[in-house]
């Protein structure tokens, strides 16, 4: 698959459209998951930059940090929502 086809393919992407039936609480959680995803991916990219410039050494974590920096926001937000739901169920 060519890279432009990969980014155009809708497979596995979360549907960001919200229905008017959603409660304000659900919308707040959804926005929080997306904000978390954006911050987390930015942190991974910053770690890679610091590693490249020699300011830090990621060592064996380089592969995981690199994978995290390349993840889509939708995937990160979906994982965060899943972790949050598991935590809410345990409480």
């Amino acid at each position: 698959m060519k890279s432009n086809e990969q980014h155009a393919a809708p497979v596995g992407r979360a549907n960001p459209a919200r229905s008017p039936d959603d409660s304000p609480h659900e919308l707040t959680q959804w926005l929080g998951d997306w904000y978390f995803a954006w911050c987390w991916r930015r942190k991974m990219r910053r770690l890679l930059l610091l590693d490249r410039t020699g300011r830090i050494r990621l060592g064996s974590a380089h592969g995981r940090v690199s994978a995290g920096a390349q993840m889509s926001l939708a995937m990160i937000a979906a994982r965060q929502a899943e972790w949050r739901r598991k935590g809410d169920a345990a409480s």
Side-chain angles (χ1 to χ4, degrees):
M1 180 181 286
K2 295 179 183 175
S3 74
N4 61 345
E5 292 171 348
Q6 174 187 356
H7 295 293
V11 176
R13 292 192 181 172
N15 184 3
R18 306 305 296 165
S19 70
D21 303 0
D22 291 340
S23 71
H25 180 67
E26 289 174 354
L27 183 59
T28 303
Q29 288 180 337
W30 182 80
L31 288 172
D33 294 338
W34 278 87
Y35 180 72
F36 169 86
W38 180 77
C39 289
W40 187 82
R41 188 174 71 177
R42 187 176 64 163
K43 184 187 300 184
M44 297 299 112
R45 291 178 176 181
R46 186 175 299 136
L47 287 171
L48 285 177
L49 177 66
L50 292 173
D51 185 53
R52 247 181 274 129
T53 59
R55 295 176 71 190
I56 63 169
R57 289 182 55 198
L58 292 173
S60 63
H62 188 274
R64 290 188 303 272
V65 172
S66 180
Q70 295 172 6
M71 288 174 68
S72 70
L73 289 176
M75 183 180 292
I76 300 167
R79 285 184 177 181
Q80 172 63 13
E82 182 181 339
W83 293 333
R84 182 178 33 77
R85 282 191 299 271
K86 285 181 181 178
D88 290 346
S91 297

